[in-house]
Structure formats: structure tokens, C-alpha cells
């Protein structure tokens, strides 16, 4: 049986998912407000796919949503470990790949990008990249070489392909100090055949609680971010109001200074939020006591928590860090949403957009905000808003 026949056989067995339809809602919104004093609020989404209410698909943990050249969309679901193809109206029409180690199979689905007509999928656990044709056929498999000094599968995320090179962010953790550790994002350049070439820069990106016997709690959580456009690769850490820039050849350019971001909250204000969460969170007594006993760390709080780049025009979009949304402790539900800045080449904010609660922005593309909404049962729902 060919790979394509095997894919078709598998998708036909999952008729419930293939029968999903998108719920299209009419967008009603106001025109943008001039100036930066007021963030532009979004109205109803134009696309909302994957909720239990529509009787169709459910997504476990969406890692990326990518527009394809022919108008379709590809969705990476790292929870179900599969890749789905959606038509231009966001109805699910095919499932590419499955959980496994063979050709066209994944151990994880972490990042998607387009190069020409080919869709590439980054599998961090397997340490490889798979290239699919527009019809879902496996055309290329690239094994990623481990950087010097690393053991085991590389932890890679958020790929960007520029100038025949692959740029990936690799995360590693520093030893914990007083209950905290720092995740370090390193920008790594690979050749198009997966050979490691150089590490271009490293940034501390995350301060995390390490609670003895209880994983998953964290305090300050700017998302590790890299992006690429034209001849530049962007590396962000959130701990300073700037984004580093590198050329394809590895030369570091002047950083992009983000002049329009508000002053980040002080560490004291962030700890006040932790204390308020302790008052309402359903935490085991030992965890509550551990958090209460921690020294109130004076380290700086991030200026921003994430950024993306519009692949059409290169505009940067940067999310303000907000301690009410960008960190959590166990059993306390996050509300991602937040305010995103549209950034011009000088680094100045030209507009601000207030994203709805529970919406996680993944891409800005051709006048659309593309991402997912976290549902009532923590399922992910593909969601698209038209830019006002």
C-alpha cells in the first residue's frame, strides 16, 4: 500500500473528523481608532472550528495553523500527534500522518512552515523534519544533527526557513536557584539537509517555579520566540524591550528597540498576583506552603511575552506582558488574550489590538489573526478573526 493510500484509508476510518464543518459567523466591528491610547477590540470570530458544539472535530493541543498556497490551511495537533488539512472555509478534509516512527509519522508536531509548494513539519521528539506535497505525500525527511555537547533528541521549536537555511530555537534549562530556573533559547542554524552549522545567539526567556513533587507551575512565562522574514531572523527573550536580529549568514544586526511597549510591572506587583492566586487556587497544602515561603524574587519582569511576524508584509506583532494572563500556578486557569502591538520597522507601535479571552494568537496573515481558543474542557478550537 502506498503512503497516500494508507493515509486515505486512515482518514476514512475517522469519518467523524472528516465530516466536521466550520461555523462561520458574521463579523461586526468598528473601524480602528487612531493613536495608541485605546486598543482595538475584536468582535466575533469569522471562523470557529473544533468545538464539541459543532459535532465534528476536536483538537487536543494545536501547535500551529499555516495558510497553504492554494488557500487551504494545515493544522498541527501536538496533543493528538497528527497533521490536518482544512479547506479554505476551514472544513476538515484530510488527515496527514499519524503517531509513529515511520515515513510520514510523528512523535510530536511542533512547528509548520511553507517553502514553495511544500509543507514542512518539525518533529522535536524524533529530531527530524518531514516535507509533504500539496496532496499529502511524503517527499522529504530531514534528520537533524545534534549540536555539539547535546545528548538525546534536540528540543527545537518555532522554525523559520530563509535563504536555504533552517533556523530553529533550542531550549535548555539552567540549574534552579531558590526554586527558580531559567530556560535559555538558543538560535541555531542548520543547512537544508539537517547538518548543524552554528549557534547564533542565546537569550534567557523564562523564569519558572520548580515545586518539589509538583511539575507545571510557573511564574513569569514569556514564550520563547523566533521568526524570519526576508533576510532577517528575529530572536526574542521578553526580558528587555528589544528583539535581536541576525542575517541569514549569521551577522547580528542592530536590535529592534520596542519603544511603544508600556513599562513592565515590577517584581513586587507580580508577586502580589502570586499571593492573590494563593488565596483562591485549589492547591495542595504542601504546595501552598512552599509558594508562601519562597523569597519574593526581585528579578525583572518581562516587557513582552510573545511575538509573531506577518509572512506577507513583515510587520511585527508583539504581545504586552501581563501578569494576570502570562503566568499561572496549578489549578488556576489562564486567560491568554491580551494586548498585541503592531510594530513598524522603527520599533514604534502603530496600533494596539485587544485579543479576546482564551484566544491564543499564532499567526497574522493577509488581514487575519489566526490561532486557537481554549474551550471549556481545555480542548483547542481553530479560531480566526478578521483585522478591523
Amino acid at each position: 500500500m502506498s503512503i497516500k493510500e494508507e493515509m486515505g484509508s486512515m482518514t476514512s476510518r475517522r469519518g467523524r473528523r472528516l465530516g466536521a464543518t466550520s461555523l462561520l459567523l458574521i463579523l461586526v466591528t468598528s473601524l480602528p481608532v487612531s493613536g495608541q491610547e485605546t486598543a482595538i477590540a475584536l468582535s466575533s470570530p469569522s471562523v470557529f472550528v473544533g468545538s464539541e458544539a459543532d459535532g465534528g472535530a476536536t483538537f487536543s493541543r494545536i501547535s500551529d495553523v499555516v495558510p497553504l498556497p492554494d488557500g487551504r490551511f494545515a493544522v498541527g495537533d501536538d496533543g493528538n500527534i497528527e497533521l490536518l488539512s482544512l479547506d479554505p472555509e476551514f472544513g476538515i478534509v484530510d488527515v496527514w500522518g499519524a503517531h509513529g516512527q515511520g515515513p510520514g509519522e510523528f512523535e510530536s508536531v511542533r512547528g509548520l512552515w511553507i517553502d514553495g509548494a511544500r509543507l514542512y513539519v518539525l518533529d522535536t521528539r524524533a529530531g527530524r523534519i518531514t516535507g509533504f506535497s500539496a496532496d499529502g505525500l511524503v517527499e522529504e525527511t530531514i534528520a537533524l544533527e545534534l549540536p555539539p555537547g547535546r545528548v538525546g533528541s534536540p528540543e527545537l521549536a518555532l522554525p523559520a526557513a530563509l535563504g536555504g537555511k533552517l533556523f530553529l530555537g533550542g531550549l535548555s534549562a539552567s540549574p534552579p536557584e531558590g526554586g527558580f530556573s531559567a530556560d535559555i533559547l538558543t538560535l541555531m542554524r542548520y543547512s537544508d539537509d539537517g547538518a548543524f552549522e552554528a549557534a547564533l545567539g542565546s537569550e534567557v526567556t523564562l523564569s519558572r517555579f520548580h515545586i518539589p513533587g509538583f511539575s507545571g507551575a510557573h511564574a513569569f512565562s514569556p514564550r520563547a520566540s523566533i521568526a524570519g522574514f526576508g533576510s532577517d531572523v528575529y530572536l526574542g527573550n521578553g526580558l528587555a524591550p528589544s528583539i535581536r536580529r541576525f542575517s541569514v549568514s549569521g551577522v547580528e544586526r542592530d536590535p529592534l528597540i520596542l519603544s511603544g511597549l508600556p513599562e513592565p510591572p515590577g517584581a513586587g506587583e507580580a508577586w502580589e498576583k502570586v499571593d492573590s492566586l494563593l488565596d483562591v487556587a485549589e492547591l495542595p497544602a504542601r504546595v501552598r506552603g512552599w509558594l508562601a515561603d519562597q523569597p519574593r524574587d526581585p528579578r525583572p519582569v518581562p516587557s513582552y511575552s510573545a511575538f509573531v511576524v506577518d509572512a506577507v508584509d513583515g510587520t511585527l506583532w508583539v504581545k504586552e506582558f501581563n501578569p494576570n494572563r502570562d503566568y499561572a500556578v496549578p489549578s488556576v486557569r489562564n486567560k491568554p488574550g491580551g494586548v498585541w502591538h503592531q510594530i513598524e520597522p522603527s520599533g514604534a507601535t502603530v496600533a494596539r489590538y485587544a485579543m479576546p479571552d482564551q484566544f491564543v494568537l499564532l499567526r497574522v496573515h493577509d488581514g487575519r489573526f489566526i490561532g486557537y481558543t481554549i474551550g471549556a474542557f481545555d480542548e483547542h478550537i481553530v479560531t480566526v478573526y478578521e483585522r478591523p
Side-chain angles (χ1 to χ4, degrees):
M1 181 181 290
S2 70
I3 291 175
K4 182 60 179 177
E5 290 171 338
E6 187 173 345
M7 299 288 183
S9 174
M10 179 185 68
T11 55
S12 65
R13 293 195 298 267
R14 304 186 63 154
R16 180 174 178 271
R17 301 197 67 154
L18 299 182
T21 57
S22 57
L23 177 61
L24 300 179
L25 304 177
I26 298 175
L27 177 71
V28 179
T29 185
S30 59
L31 293 175
V33 179
S34 61
Q36 300 179 22
E37 296 78 12
T38 303
I40 301 167
L42 305 184
S43 187
S44 301
S46 59
V47 174
F48 195 77
V49 183
S51 66
E52 292 287 356
D54 71 17
T58 56
F59 302 98
S60 173
R61 188 168 62 248
I62 292 175
S63 57
D64 212 347
V65 181
V66 177
L68 301 177
D70 62 3
R72 292 179 299 161
F73 293 82
V75 178
D77 187 340
D78 195 39
N80 290 319
I81 312 183
E82 60 188 11
L83 177 67
L84 297 99
S85 170
L86 280 62
D87 63 30
E89 286 72 40
F90 286 84
I92 297 176
V93 296
D94 209 348
V95 180
W96 299 347
H99 190 190
Q101 299 178 343
E105 296 178 335
F106 317 110
E107 294 182 43
S108 63
V109 181
R110 290 295 305 278
L112 312 178
W113 74 96
I114 296 292
D115 190 0
R118 188 172 293 176
L119 171 68
Y120 286 93
V121 182
L122 173 63
D123 184 341
T124 62
R125 294 192 185 98
R128 69 181 184 182
I129 294 169
T130 302
F132 288 89
S133 71
D135 297 325
L137 297 174
V138 177
E139 294 189 332
E140 186 176 13
T141 301
I142 303 170
L144 294 169
E145 178 187 350
L146 284 172
R150 304 270 312 242
V151 295
S153 297
E155 289 295 326
L156 305 169
L158 305 176
L162 296 172
K165 303 292 182 181
L166 298 172
F167 294 88
L168 304 116
L171 284 176
S172 59
S174 66
E177 300 176 5
F180 282 83
S181 74
D183 284 351
I184 301 171
L185 175 70
T186 301
L187 179 62
M188 297 181 290
R189 187 183 68 207
Y190 286 79
S191 65
D192 59 5
D193 62 0
F196 174 77
E197 292 187 343
L200 303 184
S202 295
E203 293 289 352
V204 176
T205 64
L206 180 71
S207 298
R208 182 183 297 270
F209 285 129
H210 280 265
I211 300 177
F214 200 104
S215 63
H218 58 278
F220 313 139
S221 56
R223 192 173 70 187
S225 300
I226 67 170
F229 183 79
S231 60
D232 282 344
V233 183
Y234 302 95
L235 170 64
N237 69 358
L239 295 175
S242 63
I243 295 175
R244 296 171 69 183
R245 296 186 288 187
F246 296 84
S247 69
V248 171
S249 63
V251 176
E252 185 163 7
R253 307 184 190 276
D254 291 336
L256 181 68
I257 306 300
L258 306 176
S259 59
L261 290 177
E263 288 293 322
E269 181 181 339
W271 275 112
E272 288 175 5
K273 176 58 181 175
V274 171
D275 290 336
S276 69
L277 292 175
L278 291 178
D279 291 336
V280 299
E282 297 178 0
L283 296 173
R286 62 183 177 82
V287 175
R288 182 183 300 277
W290 187 91
L291 284 173
D293 292 341
Q294 289 302 301
R296 287 351 191 196
D297 194 288
R299 298 179 193 184
V301 175
S303 297
Y304 61 91
S305 59
F307 74 90
V308 299
V309 62
D310 188 328
V312 176
D313 62 14
T315 302
L316 275 167
W317 296 80
V318 179
K319 182 182 179 183
E320 292 180 7
F321 178 78
N322 182 329
N324 292 304
R325 297 177 179 274
D326 293 324
Y327 68 66
V329 296
S331 302
V332 178
R333 184 173 177 78
N334 255 347
K335 293 183 178 180
V339 174
W340 286 74
H341 290 232
Q342 181 183 2
I343 304 293
E344 64 182 13
S346 67
T349 295
V350 296
R352 299 166 67 239
Y353 290 80
M355 300 296 168
D357 285 352
Q358 308 300 342
F359 176 65
V360 177
L361 177 65
L362 294 175
R363 291 181 179 269
V364 180
H365 181 88
D366 196 24
R368 286 173 152 184
F369 296 121
I370 302 173
Y372 63 86
T373 297
I374 303 173
F377 301 99
D378 289 332
E379 77 277 14
H380 285 187
I381 303 163
V382 177
T383 308
V384 180
Y385 290 88
E386 307 294 334
R387 277 177 54 191

